[in-house]
Amino acid sequence: MAGSDQAAQHSTEVLHHRRKLSLCPMKMAIGGVALVATLGYFVLYSKKQPEASALDVSKVTAGIADPANTHTRN
């Protein structure tokens, strides 16, 4: 069995693995925004009305839709 000194030394060595991040925080933020936007698009696309097209859904997701894109067509 290892002594308490060896256990304490071993536990501090594990914490040194966080020294360097593998990805830039800016790249991680951009990737997170892209992931949330993609997830939002697919949620809206799954709930869309049968009359709406995929382009209408993307306009609503981007926030550039006008009432012609959001109302049903006759």
Side-chain angles (χ1 to χ4, degrees), residues 24-37:
C24 173
M26 183 60 75
K27 289 180 183 178
M28 292 173 62
I30 291 170
V33 168
L35 182 71
V36 168

Side-chain angles (χ1 to χ4, degrees), residues 40-55:
Y41 173 81
F42 284 117
V43 166
L44 288 174
Y45 187 77
S46 68
K47 294 179 179 273
K48 76 175 183 71
Q49 298 294 322
E51 300 87 16
S53 68
L55 182 61

